[in-house]
Amino acid sequence: MAEEKTKTELLREKLMNNPKDIKKLSAEEIKNADEFCEGYKAFLNASPVEREAVRYTKQLAEKAGFTGYDPDASYKPGDRVYYINRGKAIALAVIGKDGVKNGARLAIAHIDSPRIDLKPNPLYEANNLALFKTHYYGGLKKYQWTAIPLTLHGTVVKLDGTAVDIVWGDEENESCFCVTDLLPHLAQEQVTKPMAKAFTGEDLNVLVGSRPYEEAEDEKELVKLNVMSILNEKYGITEGDFLSAELCLVPSFKAKDVGFDRSMIGGYGHDDKVCAYPAVAAAFGVEVPEATCITYLTDKEEIGSDGNTGMQSDFLRYFIYDLARQDGVEGYHAMSKSTCLSADVNAAFDPTYASAFEAKNSCYINGGVVISKYTGHGGKYDTSDASAEYMGKIRSLLETNGIVWQIGELGRVDLGGGGTIAKYVANMNVDVVDLGVPVLSMHAPFEIVSKTDVYMAYRAFLEFFKA
Ligand code: MN
Ligand code: MN
């Protein structure tokens, strides 16, 4: 027989906040999470850079019945379309019964991740080694990118206008590349420097070859010539073609389960594919929604959302205006009535670096999907601070549907900070809040997430679309 609760216990239950966590999940829900994450790992492995994420998403979408969007066609409720921006961003829309008359439901994640980009003139030779000069992309702790295997991904456009896609280093038996580091024996000076000075952006030079061109009649930069000759043979490119290219180096390892219990996933680019995939899966999961649902995967978030493929571009706005035109309403009315989940990660509390966090307002691995009411930095600068009303709406949606969730601020006040696309969405007069997955070692080559948190993100986006 259950013991009767004391008056104090009953009062506590009634008044105090008692968030759910993984301990309340059934064995079946955990199994669902594990299964869902197999699809996520495949997505992550296929999508180190944004163009690849778009291609893979398009493939998945076509299998799920989505067709390319035609602004002049007319669509009916339940129709599924995708719309691609310059190969680097993709919108998936499921047309609702009301179309966008009462606004659209938006889930927006980004598919670019921190990495090392090649400079326009990358290839050089020094002391019989061939190297690439690079310019890092996004917020990196540079030392983390040394002495690990890297693979080359990207696109080169030749003088005749044809484009070549390059992926080198992903396969088990393929060669890879590497940024070298100084041996500890000779690092007495390096290790006493502050971290920002011990390893600078100009030190991120990537080793790409060491053998000279064999049939040479002279001695001039033969290692460099040999590298160029290999690239020319395989891709038909010349050194000048680097000037019209987007090439980057990303870690060459695949996603792996982490922990004896396999409860977590380690991999490159969780930020923000770990929100992109659940948002895509949610778009697939909705049939005939009330309002048109749009999952949008955007580019350039890691460098400020600028440019015509970033969230500050008008691409999504124009798409919604086109949908509104078909529904016979003004585009800006449709936009103003829309609501959005800005699907991005937050920093999970790390017990090893506890002082960087404020424990009461941090998110935790296995605490469920995390809502970040605001991001930004000291004094709430550079953020969209979600309204109490909108927070109330989302909170109630999650509670009603039994979704495990938590609140999260990005670290201790005045320690640093970060931003998301939420503020650019808010600028379009849309109600928006950040909702995503907690990540350990964010922006490192190998980031960690929890499987149940990934699954809760999927459930949150799905219920948001269905509501
Ligand atoms: Mn992010
Ligand atoms: Mn990021």
Side-chain angles (χ1 to χ4, degrees):
M1 228 181 80
E3 265 178 54
E4 221 172 279
K5 284 179 181 161
T6 65
K7 245 171 76 184
T8 315
E9 277 168 342
L10 288 170
L11 189 65
R12 200 172 279 129
E13 247 171 49
K14 188 175 159 201
L15 297 184
M16 308 312 284
N17 188 25
N18 185 21
K20 277 177 100 179
D21 68 16
I22 189 183
K23 292 182 210 90
K24 309 251 171 69
L25 289 181
S26 66
E28 198 197 336
E29 276 177 300
I30 291 175
K31 193 168 150 263
N32 288 342
D34 290 350
E35 276 169 18
F36 182 80
C37 284
E38 291 306 306
Y40 170 54
K41 283 188 275 181
F43 178 86
L44 190 61
N45 288 338
S47 311
V49 299
E50 57 279 354
R51 286 176 194 267
E52 292 162 324
V54 167
R55 264 180 240 140
Y56 192 75
T57 303
K58 178 176 171 245
Q59 275 175 27
L60 294 179
E62 282 172 343
K63 271 186 220 153
F66 286 70
T67 56
Y69 176 66
D70 172 2
D72 298 318
S74 85
Y75 293 100
K76 55 180 193 313
D79 281 350
R80 307 174 145 216
V81 294
Y82 63 81
Y83 197 27
I84 295 175
N85 180 10
R86 297 171 170 85
K88 298 197 228 178
I90 182 169
L92 304 174
V94 181
I95 309 299
K97 288 177 201 152
D98 299 333
V100 295
K101 281 184 199 138
N102 300 315
R105 296 271 150 73
L106 308 168
I108 309 179
H110 67 92
I111 45 176
D112 60 320
S113 301
R115 63 185 188 225
I116 303 175
D117 282 353
L118 296 201
K119 287 192 182 188
N121 266 322
L123 185 60
Y124 69 103
E125 179 172 331
N127 305 95
N128 298 321
L129 297 175
L131 299 120
F132 277 154
K133 286 303 294 179
T134 68
H135 193 143
Y136 63 99
Y137 174 96
L140 297 188
K141 286 166 92 179
K142 295 167 193 97
Y143 73 90
Q144 293 179 332
W145 295 74
T146 69
I148 58 166
L150 300 170
T151 103
L152 186 68
H153 287 243
T155 299
V156 180
V157 175
K158 296 195 268 189
L159 212 47
D160 66 3
T162 55
V164 199
D165 292 323
I166 293 184
V167 178
W168 188 306
D170 266 7
E171 300 304 324
E172 201 61 46
N173 58 354
E174 224 172 355
S175 64
C176 64
F177 313 98
C178 185
V179 177
T180 56
D181 196 1
L182 191 58
L183 62 165
H185 316 65
L186 299 180
Q188 300 276 321
E189 279 175 18
Q190 186 194 40
V191 296
T192 55
K193 283 184 193 168
M195 213 187 277
K197 290 192 174 145
F199 214 92
T200 67
E202 290 296 350
D203 294 330
L204 287 174
N205 302 319
V206 182
L207 187 58
V208 298
S210 70
R211 277 193 189 160
Y213 184 68
E214 273 181 8
E215 290 142 52
E217 289 92 13
D218 61 46
E219 295 287 306
K220 197 174 161 244
E221 295 194 320
L222 295 181
V223 180
K224 178 178 168 183
L225 183 64
N226 194 41
V227 165
M228 217 48 250
S229 130
I230 293 166
L231 285 171
N232 182 263
E233 196 178 309
K234 178 143 184 192
Y235 301 109
I237 59 171
T238 61
E239 190 183 12
D241 294 330
F242 283 127
L243 296 170
S244 46
E246 288 170 3
L247 289 167
C248 51
L249 290 137
V250 296
S252 71
F253 33 77
K254 302 281 180 205
K256 270 180 103 76
D257 288 350
V258 172
F260 289 116
D261 53 10
R262 307 188 78 121
S263 57
M264 298 164 282
I265 307 167
Y268 163 69
H270 282 317
D271 179 8
D272 185 33
K273 280 94 174 186
V274 76
C275 298
Y277 181 75
V280 165
F284 295 171
V286 52
E287 279 166 15
V288 189
E290 296 295 320
T292 294
C293 296
I294 303 175
T295 286
Y296 184 49
L297 308 184
T298 185
D299 177 30
K300 297 284 179 285
E301 192 279 339
E302 295 297 354
I303 56 168
S305 297
D306 292 296
N308 57 11
T309 55
M311 198 57 227
Q312 297 198 63
S313 127
D314 283 325
F315 180 81
L316 181 68
R317 183 206 301 271
Y318 291 165
F319 181 38
I320 291 173
Y321 283 15
D322 275 342
L323 295 172
R325 184 167 42 85
Q326 199 192 72
D327 293 338
V329 290
E330 288 284 357
Y332 69 92
H333 281 158
M335 202 82 228
S336 304
K337 289 179 186 168
S338 294
T339 50
C340 179
L341 293 177
S342 160
D344 210 343
V345 299
N346 199 335
F349 186 91
D350 187 337
T352 304
Y353 300 99
S355 69
F357 298 87
E358 191 269 283
K360 290 179 187 62
N361 288 281
S362 291
C363 62
Y364 293 81
I365 288 288
N366 283 332
V369 72
V370 52
I371 299 188
S372 313
K373 186 175 182 293
Y374 48 86
T375 56
H377 54 98
K380 293 193 174 181
Y381 276 81
D382 286 329
T383 186
S384 158
D385 193 348
S387 69
E389 289 85 350
Y390 194 55
M391 284 294 289
K393 214 169 167 175
I394 298 303
R395 185 180 149 216
S396 137
L397 175 87
L398 299 176
E399 291 286 339
T400 315
N401 291 290
I403 294 165
V404 181
W405 71 281
Q406 55 189 328
I407 203 83
E409 228 193 60
L410 184 68
R412 169 157 68 78
V413 174
D414 286 340
L415 184 64
T420 65
I421 55 106
K423 65 176 182 173
Y424 306 113
V425 177
N427 288 347
M428 297 194 283
N429 200 30
V430 171
D431 274 322
V432 58
V433 71
D434 279 297
L435 182 144
V437 176
V439 178
L440 285 169
S441 301
M442 193 196 293
H443 284 204
F446 195 70
E447 303 175 306
I448 312 281
V449 295
S450 132
K451 290 182 181 176
T452 55
D453 295 341
V454 179
Y455 185 62
M456 287 300 146
Y458 160 68
R459 289 207 48 217
F461 299 132
L462 185 59
E463 295 304 336
F464 174 71
F465 281 165
K466 283 177 162 173

